[in-house]
Amino acid sequence: LGPQLGAPTLAAGTDHVVVAWADRTSPAVPWGVRWVKWRPGTEPGEPTAFPLQSSAEGAAAMAPSITSLTGGRFVIAWTEALGTQHVVKAQALDGSERPIGTTLTLSGDGVNAGEGMPVFTRDGRGAIVFLATPTGATASVVAVPVICPN
């Protein structure tokens, strides 16, 4: 694991737990998201790099947040940075942590955004909430509605 670590996020599924965090191996390497899962009563697996769908070569991924859905599914949100521009992205995952559908870009063009937090009801309706600064130093709280059908 890298010597620079971000805060972890944790979600419990139907039969296992997933922990994700951002790290990087050196200041010359972009931040990336790693995760590990385990089932109660067993040893955790090895941490692996989360296969994020990036929109730009060399983009950094940081500040992940993960939540569980019914049926063993999860939603992960993260902040992607390329230079000084930051966007919030999210991806639904099946019970084996494989991507479902396409990666969502939740923040708009020209908006510097980050710290996405997904929240969902049992029927798969929810929102991903994040901070955004369209201009100046004033931040707004933005909530983007999202539906993850079974």
Side-chain angles (χ1 to χ4, degrees):
L1 302 177
Q4 293 181 301
L5 299 170
T9 180
L10 171 101
T14 53
D15 66 347
H16 64 287
V17 174
V18 176
V19 178
W21 65 93
D23 75 354
R24 64 183 182 171
T25 55
S26 77
V29 176
W31 286 88
V33 174
R34 288 191 202 253
W35 64 351
V36 65
K37 75 174 186 177
W38 76 92
R39 286 177 168 57
T42 67
E43 290 293 318
E46 288 294 317
T48 58
F50 180 73
L52 300 170
Q53 301 288 326
S54 176
S55 61
E57 184 69 29
M62 60 193 113
S65 183
I66 192 164
T67 191
S68 61
L69 301 170
T70 59
R73 299 169 302 138
F74 294 89
V75 171
I76 186 169
W78 68 93
T79 302
E80 182 177 281
L82 186 60
T84 60
Q85 182 64 37
H86 294 78
V87 297
V88 175
K89 296 199 169 203
Q91 177 70 58
L93 308 165
D94 68 15
S96 298
E97 293 82 42
R98 290 183 304 255
I100 301 170
T102 60
T103 299
L104 301 174
T105 300
L106 301 166
S107 52
D109 290 338
V111 174
N112 205 23
E115 303 293 330
M117 178 69 64
V119 60
F120 287 87
T121 61
R122 294 195 48 79
D123 68 357
R125 296 177 186 272
I128 299 179
V129 180
F130 55 90
L131 296 174
T133 56
T135 58
T138 303
S140 298
V141 176
V142 177
V144 177
V146 178
I147 298 175
C148 290
N150 288 330

